[in-house]
């Protein structure tokens, strides 16, 4: 049976994971959580400051960032970007597979010269 950690000790499960950290004044950092102490102070590695305007955002590289624990209003693992990336990659692969499938189906049904289809596919 695993023991449940309380307080700042919960952050130990998030070490070496990509996290998003929002401060009390609205500044947002995204980076890899490297260490945490008993006061909730954290160190983010490869950190970027995320500047959000409406629904769009830009990022400014900050490197290694030390954030004081009492200044943190929200901290959590960032997995949405990776899931979005893999979904987009899967969709693009499905589109490519569908194109090749329909080209193959077109070749079989119409009995046209294979070299002509290869040239058309290479142009696309």
């Amino acid at each position: 049976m695993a023991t449940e950690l309380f307080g700042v000790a919960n952050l130990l499960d998030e070490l070496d994971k990509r996290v998003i950290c929002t401060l009390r004044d609205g500044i947002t950092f995204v980076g890899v959580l490297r260490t945490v102490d008993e006061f909730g102070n954290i160190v983010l590695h490869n950190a970027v400051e995320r500047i959000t305007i409406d629904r769009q955002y830009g990022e400014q590289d900050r490197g290694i960032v030390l954030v004081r624990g009492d200044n943190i209003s929200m901290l959590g693992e960032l997995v949405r970007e990776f899931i979005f990336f893999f979904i987009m990659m899967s969709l693009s692969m499905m589109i490519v597979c569908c194109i090749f499938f329909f080209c193959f189906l077109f070749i079989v049904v119409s009995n046209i010269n294979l070299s002509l289809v290869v040239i058309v596919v290479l142009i696309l």
Side-chain angles (χ1 to χ4, degrees):
M1 184 170 152
T3 59
E4 186 175 338
L5 300 174
F6 298 101
V8 177
N10 280 326
L11 293 177
L12 296 176
D13 293 334
E14 305 300 322
L15 288 177
D16 296 326
K17 293 181 182 175
R18 190 163 170 83
V19 296
I20 185 167
C21 174
T22 303
L23 306 183
R24 291 189 314 182
D25 60 359
I27 296 174
T28 301
F29 291 107
V30 176
V32 178
L33 182 64
R34 290 298 182 200
T35 187
V36 61
D37 66 4
E38 66 270 16
F39 302 108
N41 302 324
I42 63 171
V43 173
L44 298 176
H45 183 251
N46 291 334
V48 294
E49 181 180 350
R50 184 170 282 183
I51 302 160
T52 306
I53 299 174
D54 294 328
R55 295 186 142 215
Q56 298 179 351
Y57 66 88
E59 294 180 341
Q60 178 73 36
D61 289 335
R62 295 295 181 206
I64 297 175
V65 176
L66 171 64
V67 181
R68 189 174 165 141
D70 63 353
N71 201 22
I72 298 172
S73 65
M74 189 269 305
L75 179 73
E77 185 178 4
L78 188 65
V79 294
R80 184 173 150 196
E81 289 179 344
F82 296 115
I83 292 172
F84 178 74
F85 173 75
F86 287 119
I87 288 173
M88 293 307 293
M89 289 300 294
S90 299
L91 287 175
S92 63
M93 289 303 295
M94 284 192 301
I95 291 170
V96 169
C97 290
C98 287
I99 289 171
F100 282 116
F101 173 75
F102 286 119
C103 286
F104 176 75
L105 188 64
F106 181 72
I107 292 170
V108 171
V109 170
S110 63
N111 281 333
I112 64 170
N113 189 356
L114 183 61
S115 61
L116 178 64
V117 173
V118 171
I119 292 172
V120 171
V121 169
L122 289 177
I123 291 173
L124 294 177

